[in-house]
Amino acid sequence: MGTPGFAAVILRHLLEWDGCEVIAAYTQPDRPCGRGQQCRPPEVKLLAMEHGVTVYQPLNFKTEEAVAELRSLRPDVLVVAAYGLILPQSVLDIPRLGPVNVHASLLPRLRGAAPIQRAVMAGDAVTGVTIMRMEASLDTGPMLLQKAMGIDINDTAGDLHDQLADLGGRLLLTALGKLADGTAVAIPQDHDRATYAAKLTKADGLIDWNRPAAQVHAHIRGVTPWPGAYCTIQREGQKELRVSLAPGRIGPLRSDAPEYEGAAPGTPGTIVGLVDEQLAIACADRLYLVDSIRPADRKPMDARAFLCGYLNACECDGGLAVCV
């Protein structure tokens, strides 16, 4: 049971494993997406069909018909990964060996919809995968296996997504083997240590330049590739310009930056010029250096091209504009 790319990776691990037979794949209904609003099948559906696995796409499990259809399959195990639907107790009671979930965090930290993104945004140095028995409440079930993985200073949420999906698939097979031979041990979570990873919205992409540069860097990485980091640039005598920023790097202290020589330090959000051919933007403590900027409805461009084309400052030395 799963829907997006993360779940498809888990399904691929199951399909390639000799220890089980995948008898069905459950995924959310096809939904319109993109500017053309054409229906695009979920990635789990595409992979399942490629391998001849029967696909079910109930809107939910609020009807007895949907529950009875699943019960008729007589599954030994339900494997759930990024399904996106709440499973009632009537569904969780169906599998002989129980329902298990692949969750991309070290539970009880970061229960919820966006554990990968929220871990990066929080500046965590470590994340991981937990295989747990499912309960009716959100990500509260006892843990069967858990494995940690480091987060590099430049890892984006997209980078970690792929790594954690593969780790989750491999760890799941170990857990299923233990369930099959009766050696699985379920460890209760410490609910007092639980934190929540709320689903991301487009508004989460807005950058707060009043924070330290390390926090800005973590935030931009956490919202890459979706919803993407952005800010609005106020230019004197011109309308505001919304720009999207790719992850950059933490630069020098504001007071140490050569672009500030002879100029006021400026407030956080001030674009001060170029440092090593990267766009330098003031944060609370340091400059943040970006080499790829994408103005609204335009292609990405490098820092110098952006300064020349949008700020009319090919030879700039400070105090150009302010990001808000």
Side-chain angles (χ1 to χ4, degrees):
M1 292 180 153
T3 302
F6 183 93
V9 174
I10 304 301
L11 174 57
R12 187 174 296 280
H13 277 273
L14 289 169
L15 290 168
E16 294 174 352
W17 186 43
D18 293 334
C20 74
E21 177 189 0
V22 179
I23 59 172
Y26 273 73
T27 189
Q28 289 201 39
D30 300 4
R31 289 189 171 93
C33 59
R35 292 187 177 182
Q37 289 295 287
Q38 295 184 356
C39 282
R40 184 175 65 188
E43 293 182 60
V44 162
K45 178 180 180 179
L46 293 174
L47 180 60
M49 293 175 63
E50 179 184 330
H51 288 266
V53 176
T54 303
V55 176
Y56 298 87
Q57 295 179 275
L59 184 61
N60 52 50
F61 287 94
K62 294 181 180 180
T63 66
E64 177 55 34
E65 180 182 3
V67 176
E69 185 173 57
L70 174 60
R71 187 181 296 113
S72 69
L73 298 175
R74 301 177 63 189
D76 294 307
V77 180
L78 292 182
V79 172
V80 183
Y83 187 17
L85 287 182
I86 299 297
L87 300 181
Q89 192 63 48
S90 58
V91 168
L92 300 180
D93 290 339
I94 290 175
R96 179 176 66 86
L97 296 176
V100 298
N101 179 259
V102 183
H103 187 77
S105 83
L106 297 176
L107 292 171
R109 178 163 172 74
L110 297 176
R111 296 171 176 171
I116 300 174
Q117 297 91 334
R118 296 295 179 183
V120 180
M121 293 168 72
D124 290 359
V126 177
T127 184
V129 172
T130 303
I131 311 298
M132 66 174 175
R133 286 187 179 274
M134 294 184 69
E135 297 178 341
S137 49
L138 182 66
D139 298 332
T140 60
M143 302 175 292
L144 300 175
L145 286 176
Q146 198 170 63
K147 191 171 183 64
M149 186 181 77
I151 302 177
D152 184 79
I153 187 63
N154 293 314
D155 279 338
T156 67
D159 297 330
L160 287 183
H161 173 280
D162 297 344
Q163 297 173 47
L164 288 169
D166 182 66
L167 176 62
R170 290 184 280 113
L171 196 63
L172 170 67
L173 302 188
T174 301
L176 291 180
K178 291 179 177 293
L179 280 175
D181 64 19
T183 61
V185 177
I187 302 174
Q189 295 186 41
D190 182 351
H191 302 303
D192 292 336
R193 295 175 49 240
T195 60
Y196 181 65
K199 182 179 179 179
L200 264 65
T201 68
K202 290 184 178 180
D204 283 302
L206 180 63
I207 303 167
D208 181 2
W209 298 106
N210 292 294
R211 302 168 71 189
Q215 294 182 18
V216 169
H217 186 50
H219 176 255
I220 293 175
R221 290 160 42 228
V223 297
T224 300
W226 196 91
Y230 70 91
C231 64
T232 301
I233 297 178
Q234 296 177 334
R235 301 171 293 171
E236 186 175 352
Q238 301 182 60
K239 67 178 183 180
E240 293 182 344
L241 175 67
R242 176 166 164 159
V243 297
S244 299
L245 303 179
R249 64 183 179 90
I250 300 168
L253 291 169
R254 285 165 44 184
S255 58
D256 293 340
E259 276 65 27
Y260 277 115
E261 290 182 1
T267 59
T270 301
I271 298 175
V272 300
L274 295 177
V275 173
D276 298 333
E277 289 299 308
Q278 294 178 302
L279 190 71
I281 305 174
C283 299
D285 56 347
R286 293 177 175 269
L287 301 184
Y288 191 68
L289 308 181
V290 181
D291 58 13
S292 180
I293 306 97
R294 183 172 63 83
D297 301 321
R298 295 291 187 270
K299 293 182 179 180
M301 58 179 61
D302 63 39
R304 185 170 291 279
F306 176 76
L307 287 174
C308 291
Y310 284 88
L311 299 184
N312 298 319
C314 295
E315 301 296 334
C316 52
D317 57 4
L320 297 171
V322 175
C323 302
V324 294

